[in-house]
Amino acid sequence: MSAPSYTVWAVPGLPEVREGDDLAKLIAAAEPGLVDGDVVLVTSKIASKAEGRLVEATDREAAIDDETVRVVARRGTLRIVENRQGLVMAAAGVDASNTPAGTVLLLPVDPDASARAVRDGLRDALGVDVGVIVTDTFGRPWRAGLTDVAIGAAGVRVLDDLRGGVDAYGNPLVATVIATADELAAAGDLVKGKAAGLPVAVVRGLAHVTGGDGPDPGARALVREARDDMFRLGTSEAVREAVTQRRTVREFTDDEVDPGAVRRAVAAAVTAPAPHHTTPWRFVLLESAAARVELLDAMRDAWIADLRRDGKSEESIAKRVRRGDVLRRAPYLVVPCMVMDGSHTYGDERRDAAEREMFVVAAGAGVQNFLVALAGERLGSAWVSSTMFCRDVVREVLGLPGSWEPMGAVAVGRAVGEPKARGERDVGGFVVVR
């Protein structure tokens, strides 16, 4: 039995591609010896030129803006973005090299459709069933250098899912999914080169990864879904998104909350600024349902007693109590507390009041850090002030020292559905410049 092998070569003789050219006919004329099972690798640049994606643009940055869906990371003028095709890459794939002055080349609108068109055209021209991959050059996180990857595909098994099988030692494979299309794209790049004027290559000998006229997911299957992407944002962008995406969540799923995620959020909370190098934060984690019910029942009774003393009707009291049920609907509660250990006493009412305000501000900064960190853990939260109105009750039920001042309660859990989009706020309305 011969060892597995394949052959890859660049296709010479292709003319300069222009808008409206039929790529399949050009490739067929330059490489008429294609056979069933070959994989044809087509550089995205010539697909874009044929599809009229060369556009006037005196400002490349503006063109990148137009093609960008979201910024993933930014360093100086370099931007890693998600583009309209769903690809995360530098500069949205906008190319200003080897194009006339004042123009840029955009990626194909639908690279999978581009691959299908070339595959169908080669079948019509040569009567062969080949796979086609549209390639582009990417950098990769944590790795130096560039390589070609598949951004469009047709008639190619882009992913080889080995999960459920076993390795040579009988160990189960539980996470092994091979990016076959990317490996083929990189193989072709070895012979095409970046400056050799050879935009098409052919791989022969791997017919098992091609063929079929059934459902074809294309290279889109290589794009990781947002929910599975652990590295969706760069550092500063992740912080900014956690801050801006934090919402008050009032409806939670029944999913359990990872206590480790809450503790990581507490670790972020206690990095907040505080006066006199103090640590004025304490967080009481109510992880058992019994503890939550005991606290909330005691707080409800205290609240009802207060409302009755205020002369509220029973109907009004019932409505108010129902509005406070957000804490009961959460699978996890946290009671942040302020302690004034290390505070100064001046013997002056004005200065002592200011001292307390500094600690209250620091406590609030710690809670904000906590809420933002929870958002970074994909946990929803609602900071409710109720414990501040019955601090003695809270301290008694939870067995807290008298010096601990409960600063509300935070409901924590997975949000039911996506939060509503927050309306745009004009920063100018919150800024005074002197």
Side-chain angles (χ1 to χ4, degrees):
M1 180 178 178
S2 60
S5 64
Y6 66 90
T7 305
V8 58
W9 69 92
V11 175
L14 282 164
E16 179 69 22
V17 175
R18 305 185 186 282
E19 182 177 354
D21 283 348
D22 186 324
L23 278 185
K25 288 183 178 179
L26 295 179
I27 294 169
E31 190 59 75
L34 292 173
V35 300
D36 290 350
D38 284 346
V39 180
V40 179
L41 307 165
V42 180
T43 303
S44 63
K45 180 169 285 191
I46 64 169
S48 293
K49 288 181 176 179
E51 295 171 15
R53 297 286 282 166
L54 186 70
V55 298
E56 298 288 336
T58 55
D59 184 354
R60 181 170 179 254
E61 294 302 311
I64 294 171
D65 289 341
D66 289 342
E67 293 297 302
T68 294
V69 173
R70 65 181 178 90
V71 175
V72 174
R74 183 193 304 268
R75 180 171 295 173
T77 59
L78 176 63
R79 281 183 284 172
I80 306 299
V81 306
E82 179 183 345
N83 65 12
R84 295 180 184 276
Q85 292 82 0
L87 302 168
V88 175
M89 60 191 308
V94 175
D95 192 350
S97 64
N98 295 313
T99 62
T103 66
V104 295
L105 191 63
L106 311 180
L107 290 178
V109 173
D110 183 347
D112 284 330
S114 302
R116 288 193 297 271
V118 173
R119 185 187 187 214
D120 291 344
L122 290 172
R123 180 186 287 131
D124 292 342
L126 300 176
V128 293
D129 186 10
V130 298
V132 175
I133 295 175
V134 176
T135 71
D136 199 59
T137 304
F138 272 45
R140 298 146 304 145
W142 311 294
R143 304 286 289 179
L146 304 171
T147 186
D148 265 19
V149 301
I151 66 168
V156 176
R157 188 168 68 241
V158 296
L159 292 168
D160 191 6
D161 191 346
L162 303 181
R163 292 173 297 182
V166 296
D167 64 17
Y169 294 93
N171 300 310
L173 299 173
V174 296
T176 305
V177 182
I178 305 299
T180 305
D182 282 349
E183 292 185 328
L184 290 164
D189 191 42
L190 291 172
V191 294
K192 287 189 297 178
K194 299 302 180 190
L198 299 170
V200 175
V202 178
V203 175
R204 179 169 293 170
L206 299 175
H208 62 282
V209 304
T210 69
D213 292 311
D216 190 342
R220 181 69 192 184
L222 291 160
V223 178
R224 196 182 298 276
E225 296 290 341
R227 65 177 180 272
D228 299 323
D229 188 353
M230 294 178 65
F231 310 101
R232 186 167 170 78
L233 296 169
T235 303
S236 61
E237 288 73 22
V239 172
R240 190 179 303 113
E241 176 162 286
V243 172
T244 58
Q245 295 304 311
R246 187 209 62 76
R247 296 286 194 282
T248 295
V249 174
R250 300 189 182 277
E251 297 295 336
F252 300 93
T253 69
D254 295 330
D255 296 344
E256 291 186 2
V257 172
D258 175 14
V262 177
R263 285 163 173 77
R264 289 191 292 273
V266 171
V270 299
T271 64
H276 315 313
H277 305 289
T278 58
T279 55
W281 318 278
R282 304 291 186 270
F283 291 84
V284 185
L285 312 183
L286 279 69
E287 297 184 343
S288 74
R292 294 193 295 274
V293 170
E294 182 183 7
L295 174 65
L296 295 176
D297 283 352
M299 289 171 55
R300 178 198 58 203
D301 293 344
W303 191 15
I304 290 174
D306 283 345
L307 292 171
R308 284 173 177 161
R309 281 194 295 271
D310 292 341
K312 302 296 183 183
S313 69
E314 293 302 312
E315 181 182 2
S316 173
I317 290 172
K319 287 182 179 179
R320 289 167 183 262
V321 170
R322 281 197 299 272
R323 285 201 296 269
D325 278 349
V326 60
L327 297 177
R328 291 187 183 274
R329 293 193 292 269
Y332 198 108
L333 288 183
V334 178
V335 178
C337 297
M338 178 182 74
V339 297
M340 294 191 61
D341 297 349
S343 62
H344 296 175
T345 300
Y346 299 97
D348 175 275
E349 183 177 340
R350 177 182 58 82
R351 296 174 70 191
D352 287 343
E355 180 80 359
R356 176 177 172 77
E357 286 179 5
M358 288 196 301
F359 276 77
V360 171
V361 169
V367 175
Q368 170 69 356
N369 274 14
F370 181 65
L371 300 178
V372 170
L374 289 175
E377 297 279 354
R378 298 296 187 259
L379 288 170
S381 62
W383 186 12
V384 181
S385 61
S386 52
T387 67
M388 300 173 70
F389 293 90
C390 53
R391 283 174 167 151
D392 289 341
V393 171
V394 176
R395 281 191 286 259
E396 180 180 354
V397 172
L398 298 180
L400 304 179
S403 60
W404 288 29
E405 299 188 41
M407 304 296 286
V410 179
V412 182
R414 300 287 176 189
V416 173
E418 292 294 322
K420 293 181 180 179
R422 179 182 283 131
E424 291 291 330
R425 291 177 176 172
D426 179 11
V427 175
F430 302 90
V431 174
V432 175
V433 179
R434 293 288 187 267

